[in-house]
Amino acid sequence: MDTHADVHVAAAVDTNGGLLGIESFPTDDAEYRRLNEWLAEFGPVIRVGVEGTGSYGVGLTRHLHSGGVEVVEVARPNRQRRRRLGKSDPIDAETAARAPLSGTARVVPKRRDGAVEQIRVLSVARRSARVQRTATLNQLRQIVLTAPDAVRTRFKDRARTGLVSEAAAMRPRKGHDPVAYTTLVVIRGLARRIRDLDDEIAGIDDALKELIDATAPSLHDCHGVGVDTATTPLVAAGNNADRLTSERSRAHLCGVSPVPAGSGKTSGRVRLNRSGNRQANAALHRIVLTRMASDPETRNHVRRRSAQGLSKREIMRCLKRYVARQTYQHLPRAA
């Protein structure tokens, strides 16, 4: 399946790689059912390769999963193939159909349903609210910095909590200085926006905590794992965490597994893994930082490894792999 916003292009091949047909289908439930009927005309459907299972193809992927069809995530065609064969929707669809058959596409996509999908949606809103809050607070501080003397002296060197609470409660009155009045009105508006965003984030955190407790309650028992760092590994694994068949696949998903980078006389060389889910990698990084600051066992480990000659960066890489292994054990499993 070569997926797009309005039309999906499907190509069917048999077990020997022979092309059976190519057809286009609009993106709605009725057309998805017609797609199933079209595929069934060629015989039993073994598996379906879908390009963009997390974007344009998410609706089709849900429909196929609900029908019990095995779905494989297909990456976009490489540039060498596109340069050689050209680019068109039928060509991309045929390439997507041949990828699962040849074994080059074997990744089971995440299921975009259930509690984990709710966690993902809430985390997107939470991340957006945090970015807006930071930007608004920076604007507030900048306006205070450039405000008239009386206003700047009033709010100078205030901590965030005191600045926001006092500014939000102000009732500016027009006086002899219109610039000061306008500045106070803007400061009050920004402070109230920050307060509203704080309330929004707190509400989202409560909803996330409830969902995490229902999905993977044991994650909270891991030292350094909070609401934010618990949502990321769950979202990265998806609602079907069983698709990660081992701890190694989990580590590779988070980008904390070393990648072989040698041959010949340097066959044992490995390099840093810069692929994988970078948000999950960042969450592991924050957990490791928390443990290095507050966990006695981790601090002893850091001292022991430092005495062996490892740098702080190398120690953190080892710890991130350990945390990935530990959190993997707490991911939800199918009953």
Side-chain angles (χ1 to χ4, degrees), residues 11 69 80 132 149 183 207 214 245 255 260 264 270 302 314 323 333:
V69 179
Q80 292 180 348
Q132 294 180 27
D149 292 341
T183 303
T245 56
V270 296
V302 171
E314 292 170 335
V323 174
R333 295 290 188 271

Side-chain angles (χ1 to χ4, degrees), residues 16-55:
N16 295 323
L19 181 63
L20 301 176
I22 298 178
E23 189 65 45
S24 298
F25 299 89
T27 55
D28 58 60
D29 288 338
E31 292 298 324
Y32 292 158
R33 289 191 292 271
R34 190 168 74 86
L35 168 62
N36 285 337
E37 295 172 357
W38 179 78
L39 291 174
E41 293 176 358
F42 301 110
V45 179
I46 299 176
R47 67 179 60 88
V48 177
V50 179
E51 182 178 341
T53 58
S55 54

Side-chain angles (χ1 to χ4, degrees), residues 119 122 201-213 227:
I119 292 174
L122 287 171
I201 293 172
I204 293 176
D205 284 344
D206 292 339
L208 284 173
K209 188 176 185 305
E210 183 177 346
L211 287 170
I212 294 171
D213 289 341
V227 173

Side-chain angles (χ1 to χ4, degrees), residues 133-181:
R133 181 182 63 178
T134 301
T136 306
L137 181 60
N138 290 337
Q139 292 172 353
L140 176 60
R141 294 190 184 279
Q142 183 64 26
I143 289 179
V144 169
L145 181 65
T146 59
D149 292 341
V151 178
R152 186 174 67 252
T153 303
R154 177 178 179 180
F155 295 107
K156 184 180 179 182
D157 299 330
R158 289 292 185 89
R160 175 199 174 280
T161 304
L163 173 63
V164 172
S165 59
E166 181 176 349
M170 286 193 309
R171 294 183 178 180
R173 296 181 180 180
K174 293 184 178 180
H176 65 280
D177 189 349
V179 175
Y181 169 76

Side-chain angles (χ1 to χ4, degrees), residues 55-78:
S55 54
Y56 290 140
V58 63
L60 175 61
T61 303
R62 287 196 184 105
H63 179 82
L64 294 172
H65 276 151
S66 64
V69 179
E70 180 185 354
V71 180
V72 178
E73 185 170 357
V74 177
R76 68 177 184 177
N78 61 58

